[in-house]
Amino acid sequence: MSLQLTRLSPALGAVVEGMDLARPLDDEQRRTLSEALLRHQVLFFRGQDITPLQQRNFAVRFGDLHTHPIYPQHPDAREIVVLDTDVADLQDNAIWHTDVTFIETPPLGAVLAARLLPELGGDTLWASGIAAYEALSASLKARLEGLSAVHDFAKSFPLARYGLTDDDRRRWDETRRKHPPISHPLVRIHPESGRRALFVSEGFTVAVNDLPEAEGQALLQFLFAHQSRPEFSIRWRWQPGDVAFWDNRCTIHYAVDDYRPARRVMHRATILGDRPY
């Protein structure tokens, strides 16, 4: 297999050419993409004509898939989340976040396919938690070691927006029962590369354990602002047929909500990971 990778920034991101994601991945291709993902943290593929089933089959080559408890599922593949602005309120994606950190084993990564795009707007930004961590002072790195933070699904999925009908309320209550607030380290060690990365986000992180509330909130606000600095991030302008594949263990992302009332439809497959340490 001959792949060409073009880097997008010093911090993260690469465009991959020479691969048809509609075709089954063999073991060599899987290893090549896994290595590229470790190096670049988010990979982009242009001109891909894939069905939801093909998208699911590509993603499952990298691990078991997560079924989202709130978002709608595609009828052809329940592991595919349908992010359709005409169906669901998606303003919770217009914030810097790491996907599904409210579970014990947050996702390894995700595969996002563009299905329907607005004429203008609807870009997505990614930022590297590795680059953000490495830019911190030695004294702050030492202070963060051993600290953990609370992640809560209700921060991005508040009952006021996701419990408007009886069915929605039952779904929200069941999700809360299955996924109470959970703690993860503020800095996690990547299980494959061994590199350290910040592991907090505005989307789900609500408090720092072992610090007074005011200190914890001040620290979180600093880290939220720090890790989204332009030098750690890239901005992707979607085109029809684009697919993004990112490492959810060491990145955050932001779906820019600047295209209303136009419609935007994306399909996401989410690959389960391991317990952060």
Side-chain angles (χ1 to χ4, degrees):
M1 179 180 59
S2 177
L3 292 184
Q4 179 179 344
L5 280 81
T6 304
R7 292 181 65 192
L8 296 176
S9 81
L12 79 168
V15 176
V16 181
E17 297 178 274
M19 173 163 282
D20 180 1
L21 301 187
R23 303 180 64 180
L25 283 183
D26 61 31
D27 290 342
E28 180 184 354
Q29 291 172 326
R30 182 193 178 281
R31 283 193 299 270
T32 299
L33 285 182
S34 293
E35 292 168 0
L37 190 67
L38 287 180
R39 288 195 305 272
H40 302 292
Q41 303 172 54
V42 56
L43 305 175
F44 299 98
F45 307 82
R46 294 282 198 190
Q48 301 294 323
D49 182 18
I50 59 172
T51 67
L53 282 173
Q54 290 167 334
Q55 182 180 356
R56 183 197 67 185
N57 293 341
F58 171 81
V60 80
R61 291 289 282 124
F62 298 89
D64 294 334
L65 301 185
H66 176 259
T67 301
H68 202 280
I70 299 293
Y71 284 141
Q73 302 160 5
H74 195 278
D76 295 337
R78 63 188 300 268
E79 302 91 344
I80 299 293
V81 172
V82 178
L83 303 172
D84 183 345
T85 54
D86 273 10
V87 174
D89 182 350
L90 300 177
Q91 62 183 280
D92 50 279
N93 287 318
I95 189 173
W96 284 105
H97 64 286
T98 301
D99 286 335
V100 197
T101 60
F102 55 84
I103 64 175
E104 184 176 336
T105 55
L108 173 157
V111 179
L112 187 66
R115 298 300 183 184
L116 180 66
L117 298 171
E119 182 178 355
L120 291 173
D123 299 352
T124 304
L125 292 83
W126 279 265
S128 169
I130 292 174
Y133 173 79
E134 292 177 350
L136 295 173
S137 67
S139 59
L140 185 50
K141 289 177 184 176
R143 183 70 182 96
L144 296 179
E145 286 297 318
L147 294 180
S148 64
V150 179
H151 295 242
D152 188 347
F153 101 98
K155 187 177 183 184
S156 277
F157 297 96
L159 181 60
R161 283 198 288 119
Y162 289 91
L164 297 180
T165 69
D166 290 343
D167 285 344
D168 290 343
R169 177 59 188 259
R170 283 192 290 269
R171 185 182 301 110
W172 193 95
D173 287 341
E174 180 66 8
T175 303
R176 163 52 80 221
R177 185 185 67 79
K178 290 182 177 179
H179 303 295
I182 190 169
S183 292
H184 296 306
L186 275 173
V187 177
R188 72 176 294 179
I189 299 174
H190 197 288
E192 295 183 69
S193 70
R195 301 177 74 182
R196 282 172 164 76
L198 293 179
F199 196 66
V200 296
S201 77
E202 292 179 272
F204 296 112
T205 312
V206 297
V208 178
N209 297 311
D210 305 315
L211 287 181
E213 182 178 0
E215 286 186 30
Q217 290 302 318
L219 178 59
L220 286 179
Q221 293 306 315
F222 168 77
L223 294 177
F224 294 159
H226 171 75
Q227 65 184 346
S228 61
R229 284 165 51 182
E231 53 264 51
F232 310 139
S233 68
I234 55 170
R235 182 170 183 144
W236 184 255
R237 178 168 294 176
W238 294 96
Q239 296 178 9
D242 281 1
V243 174
F245 179 21
W246 69 91
D247 192 329
N248 199 67
R249 300 164 293 189
C250 59
T251 61
I252 55 175
H253 56 282
Y254 187 116
V256 181
D257 191 359
D258 61 352
Y259 48 87
R260 307 303 177 105
R263 186 181 181 190
R264 182 177 185 265
V265 181
M266 312 292 282
H267 287 174
R268 190 182 82 203
T270 308
I271 306 157
L272 286 169
D274 57 0
R275 182 193 289 270
Y277 64 91

